[in-house]
């Protein structure tokens, strides 16, 4: 469109007869933030191993704190993968573990981890990570997720928790380490039995959540998990540098609205 009253970058759809911009159909839609600021925020979030706080985006980009918080959540949505195929396969190993973080809403703080949110993570060795906010560590809260996201021909590695004993029967093999006996690595011939890969993911996740973000509401936890999954699954060890990771984030903005 042209004319004195038309802002740059506006086009006209000749089917619906309405004007639109390149932001339509993306996480940028209906946002008044300039596009170059969105791109800067994307690079910062994609290239920072433990994340970037809303306060840091607010200071760096020169936007309000409320705008920075809103931008970061939209970009976390862009990091979420859809239509996922099962992980692993023949000859592949997937490690599974759970951890506790934050505090569940409406639950009194108590001794032990039972007032905290439960996070279940699946990590393929040399591959991607997938994390889920689950209701508990009971078998029926975990089994369905593991079976839906891990190929049945995969070698499963877990700790000695009881809820994995039945789950492991559905895969090519299931080995566990006995953390209660301070066993963290065991060699069985050429097979390495450990959950140190998924524990390494949790170390990055918790350093980011406690050191950078410091607080996360229960209803937003799944967005932060998507952020850490995205960066881990597109890390340098997999041949993805900061620019390539940002490009993959840009590719994820389409068809998503928050």
């Amino acid at each position: 469109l042209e004319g004195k009253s038309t802002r740059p970058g506006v086009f006209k759809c000749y089917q619906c007869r309405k004007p639109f911009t390149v932001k339509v159909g993306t996480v940028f839609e209906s946002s008044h933030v300039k596009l170059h600021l969105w791109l800067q925020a994307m690079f910062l979030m994609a290239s920072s191993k433990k994340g970037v706080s809303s306060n840091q985006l607010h200071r760096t980009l020169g936007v309000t704190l409320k705008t920075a918080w809103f931008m970061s959540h939209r970009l976390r949505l862009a990091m979420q993968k859809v239509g996922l195929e099962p992980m692993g396969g023949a000859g592949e190993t997937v490690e599974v573990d759970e951890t506790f973080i934050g505090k569940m809403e409406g639950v009194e703080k108590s001794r032990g981890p039972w007032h905290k949110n439960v996070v279940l993570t699946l990590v393929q060795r040399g591959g991607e990570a997938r994390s889920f906010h689950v209701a508990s560590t009971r078998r029926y809260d975990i089994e369905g997720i593991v079976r839906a996201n891990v190929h049945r021909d995969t070698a499963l590695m877990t700790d000695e928790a009881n809820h994995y004993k039945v789950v492991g029967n559905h895969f090519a093999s299931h080995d566990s380490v006995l953390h209660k006996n301070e066993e963290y690595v065991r060699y069985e011939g050429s097979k390495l039995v450990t959950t140190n890969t998924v524990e390494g993911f949790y170390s990055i996740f918790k350093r980011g959540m406690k050191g950078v973000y410091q607080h996360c509401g229960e209803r937003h936890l799944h967005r932060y998990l998507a952020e850490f999954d995205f960066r881990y699954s597109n890390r340098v060890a997999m041949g993805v540098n900061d620019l390539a990771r940002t490009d993959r984030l840009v590719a994820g903005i389409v068809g998503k609205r928050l």
Side-chain angles (χ1 to χ4, degrees):
L1 293 178
E2 297 180 357
K4 294 182 179 180
S5 62
T6 304
R7 66 187 187 275
V10 176
F11 302 89
K12 183 177 181 178
C13 175
Y14 287 95
Q15 289 186 339
C16 67
R17 316 295 296 179
K18 294 181 180 180
F20 69 95
T21 70
V22 294
K23 295 180 179 180
V24 173
T26 72
V27 297
F28 305 151
E29 187 172 339
S30 301
S31 168
H32 297 290
V33 179
K34 294 181 178 179
L35 199 55
H36 74 277
L37 294 178
W38 275 110
L39 295 175
Q40 289 180 52
M42 295 176 84
F43 180 79
L44 289 171
M45 290 190 67
S47 61
S48 301
K49 188 171 184 178
K50 302 177 186 68
V52 179
S53 68
S54 297
N55 270 298
Q56 186 62 49
L57 287 178
H58 150 64
R59 292 189 294 267
T60 303
L61 303 179
V63 298
T64 65
L65 179 58
K66 184 177 180 180
T67 297
W69 185 86
F70 182 70
M71 290 174 70
S72 63
H73 273 314
R74 283 200 173 190
L75 294 182
R76 290 183 186 104
L77 178 64
M79 292 177 178
Q80 290 181 0
K81 295 182 68 176
V82 294
L84 297 173
E85 294 293 326
M87 305 168 67
E92 300 291 342
T93 301
V94 172
E95 299 179 14
V96 184
D97 199 8
E98 70 283 331
T99 192
F100 301 89
I101 193 162
K103 179 181 177 296
M104 289 189 289
E105 296 177 1
V107 177
E108 291 292 329
K109 188 174 181 180
S110 61
R111 299 181 67 178
W114 311 119
H115 61 282
K116 296 177 177 286
N117 296 300
V118 184
V119 172
L120 175 72
T121 300
L122 296 71
V123 176
Q124 181 175 334
R125 290 183 184 170
E128 63 175 324
R130 297 181 192 175
S131 299
F132 305 87
H133 179 199
V134 296
S136 72
T137 57
R138 296 184 180 93
R139 195 189 95 195
Y140 54 77
D141 287 323
I142 290 176
E143 182 175 2
I145 294 175
V146 177
R147 293 182 64 181
N149 285 274
V150 181
H151 195 283
R152 63 180 302 170
D153 293 332
T154 305
L156 197 69
M157 301 280 181
T158 68
D159 58 22
E160 72 275 23
N162 288 329
H163 46 263
Y164 292 124
K165 293 180 179 178
V166 175
V167 178
N169 294 330
H170 299 282
F171 300 96
S173 65
H174 175 217
D175 295 279
S176 59
V177 286
L178 300 176
H179 285 168
K180 64 181 181 181
N181 293 341
E182 298 187 356
E183 179 190 54
Y184 301 99
V185 179
R186 185 175 74 254
Y187 288 92
E188 295 181 356
S190 60
K191 180 189 290 187
L192 174 64
V193 181
T194 184
T195 57
N196 283 350
T197 310
V198 66
E199 297 288 357
F201 171 86
Y202 281 144
S203 70
I204 299 171
F205 171 64
K206 289 196 172 183
R207 283 200 296 268
M209 295 303 293
K210 295 180 180 180
V212 176
Y213 297 122
Q214 298 181 19
H215 172 76
C216 169
E218 183 178 356
R219 60 178 176 168
H220 297 301
L221 179 58
H222 67 286
R223 305 189 196 282
Y224 290 90
L225 292 173
E227 176 187 354
F228 283 90
D229 284 350
F230 173 82
R231 280 196 298 266
Y232 185 88
S233 300
N234 296 281
R235 58 194 184 276
V236 173
M238 295 183 66
V240 184
N241 60 22
D242 291 345
L243 289 176
R245 194 178 307 113
T246 305
D247 287 342
R248 294 187 182 186
L249 175 53
V250 172
I253 67 174
V254 180
K256 297 177 181 176
R257 290 293 309 278
L258 185 59

